[in-house]
Amino acid sequence: MAAISTSAPAKTILFGEHAVVYGAPAIAVPLKALRVKAIIQPLLASSKSLVFIKGKNTIEQFHIDDLPADNLIKGTFAVFEKETRIRISPFKLTIISKIPIAAGLGSSAAVAVAIIRALGEFSGIKLSKETVSKIAYQSEVIQHGTPSGIDNSVIAYEEPVYFQKGKGITYLPIKKKIHLILADSGERTLTRDVVESVRNCMVRNPSLYQNIFDSIGKITNAAKIALESGNSKQIGELMTQNHTLLKSINVSSPKLDLLIMRANEAGAFGAKLCGGGRGGYMVAISSEENRSKIVEQLHSISPYVFETSVGGE
Ligand code: PMV
């Protein structure tokens, strides 16, 4: 059998992170150009399955049996076998990812989706997007404890989604192209830790936190209409309002706030942190004309900046 190669994209949450864990709606879009690749090849029946993780200048190699149960790759593999009731024959799996880890771009869900797609093809079964998303969700549970389900959904479906926990996903058609600029704060905090710290604060002050999450939910619903009609200026204003609320629950960082301020000074319609926060990436929305000025400003204080556009296809 020839090698099987699959991939999955990163994502950014445009509205509603953290609030989505408590039932508020959220909106996320796939970042199709930024992907993780999974390549799988068969090994002899007597071999032990191998995993190679290729970084920029590194290669790590493991026997899958030696990985801990809560390891992302081992966990995804175990959930896949349990859900499909297929026993996978020995393989060599190579993971090559361009998605930064713990940066709010959904790297763990993307790795899980790429592996599930590869294992599906390797075992000769056709998995629906729904099944891929479901298996990736269970892998996320092993990683994060209480994921909302938005990451596995937007990454498995590869479409902009309006998502509410327990209610599933709705595709969100973005008819006019919107321009996004993403910049790395260079800081990293695990999503699991930030979510847990928000939960501790919620337990101490439930009514305040519930009010904030309700307000974020209202912003997300207004943003859904603005995205559908392609009103970038209004989307930007709502992103900035969403960021102010994320700051109030202490999931931003001085570096993220600085990047957001610089993007706005350079002419962005608005900006916010994206994903778990306390580091990772911020996302700004811009007009076509202001893009290069914003990128230039952000480049001077960020280790990595990239542009993308969504919608209008
Ligand atoms: O940091 P990321 O890319 O895993 O995004 C996390 C989004 C949260 O809303 C904070 C958590 C979740 O499960 O939805």
Side-chain angles (χ1 to χ4, degrees), residues 97-161:
S97 183
K98 292 214 163 93
I99 309 173
I101 295 166
L105 301 183
S107 73
S108 61
V111 168
V113 167
I115 293 175
I116 295 159
R117 286 176 174 162
L119 291 175
E121 280 193 39
F122 186 67
S123 6
I125 53 168
K126 197 162 166 39
L127 298 170
S128 66
K129 290 177 182 169
E130 194 186 348
T131 305
V132 172
S133 180
K134 195 173 144 200
I135 300 174
Y137 174 76
Q138 289 177 40
S139 162
E140 287 277 278
V141 169
I142 300 171
Q143 295 306 301
H144 296 302
T146 54
S148 63
I150 190 166
D151 282 13
N152 52 281
S153 301
V154 65
I155 290 169
Y157 286 86
E158 294 205 30
E159 294 286 347
V161 297

Side-chain angles (χ1 to χ4, degrees), residues 179-184 236 239-240 243 254-273 281-287 289-302 305-306:
H179 299 286
L180 302 176
I181 298 157
L182 290 99
D184 189 357
M239 281 167 74
T240 299
H243 184 70
K255 185 68 189 280
L256 281 167
D257 294 341
L258 178 67
L259 288 163
I260 288 160
M261 192 173 83
R262 289 285 164 80
N264 288 333
E265 283 168 0
F269 289 128
K272 61 183 271 296
L273 69 84
Y281 274 71
M282 53 73 75
V283 55
I285 181 165
S286 163
S287 62
E289 308 79 66
N290 286 346
R291 275 172 7 176
S292 52
K293 203 171 146 210
I294 297 165
V295 168
E296 198 183 307
Q297 269 296 314
L298 294 178
H299 255 312
S300 63
I301 48 168
S302 163
V305 182
F306 68 93

Side-chain angles (χ1 to χ4, degrees), residues 78-92:
V79 176
F80 180 92
E81 280 201 325
K82 189 168 151 252
E83 273 298 312
T84 59
R85 294 163 195 234
I86 291 174
R87 247 195 106 57
I88 311 273
S89 50
F91 59 82
K92 174 184 163 189

